[in-house]
Amino acid sequence: FTISNNGGGTLDISSIGISGSYYTLTVNPAPVSLAAGQSASFTVQYAPTAVGMHEGTVTITDSRAVTTVDLDGVCYDPTQPLPYSQDFNGGTTLAGINWTGTMSILANHGTGGSNGLYRNLYSSVTTTNAVTCPIGPMVANAELKFDYRYVNYTSYPSTATVLGTGDKLEVQVSTDNGVNYTTIRTIDQTNHVTSTAFANVTVELDAYSTGNIFVKFLGTWGTGDYYLDIDNVVVRETPATPIFSYGPTVIDFGTTFANTPTGYQDVTISN
């Protein structure tokens, strides 16, 4: 906020006070005298720790009068409870789904041609990430599930990428609001199956049985020019009974000649 003396004479500001929960004056120039044409600034910070609407007031006392400035702020909790699922069909930006990072959302980068997370990695873009909203409270026997694939930039998505040295996707978890992350799964050339189909991954979260977590997907480039696609992120308590799922749910072999077999298409069955 800026206070200015747009008249003649001297404006003597004796005090600037603030009231209301979660509001503080971080910069307070009072007491200060402002000659004609001079100005002074004060800064208000809103740092809520409780959900809801919060009101406050700034009171400025000067040689002329007492002036009040009304403050309004709204706080909401972005934490999503279990089971949490995100298929990226409900938003077109990470901010729109309360995620952060450098990946984007676009059609045809998800399973079955749906929306999905993606980033083109090559020599000029060597890393990318996407971070979930806070998820919790966590419970025992929780798991993370997601689909991913690597496919070449050229003729996307018809050519699978063979991962090389340095190419990897790390799955990381933070329990301190994103300050520090621990890698709980790494996908690289040693365990990635080269395919144009999405692979379904399950990661046990037994080490995170209380509190809230953030999940980060961290992609690192080593060689080549390819897309990293991610879809259908789920954090849930592991079901006590089997759940049958498979993907992709539709396989289009296209048009071919009689007695001319097509290439193989992979189908993944998951519990």
Side-chain angles (χ1 to χ4, degrees), residues 138 173-182 207-208 210-214:
M138 297 299 292
V173 171
S174 173
T175 58
D176 57 3
N177 294 317
V179 177
N180 299 286
Y181 282 90
T182 300
Y208 307 96
T210 61
N212 300 331
I213 65 170
F214 289 82

Side-chain angles (χ1 to χ4, degrees), residues 213-236:
I213 65 170
F214 289 82
V215 177
K216 176 189 283 188
F217 298 94
L218 177 61
T220 303
W221 173 86
T223 184
D225 186 358
Y226 55 79
Y227 280 106
L228 168 61
D229 293 337
I230 297 174
D231 198 10
N232 300 322
V233 177
V234 176
V235 178
R236 66 181 186 180

Side-chain angles (χ1 to χ4, degrees), residues 175-192:
T175 58
D176 57 3
N177 294 317
V179 177
N180 299 286
Y181 282 90
T182 300
T183 299
I184 59 174
R185 176 68 62 88
T186 300
I187 299 169
D188 56 21
Q189 62 180 344
T190 66
N191 55 13
H192 170 69

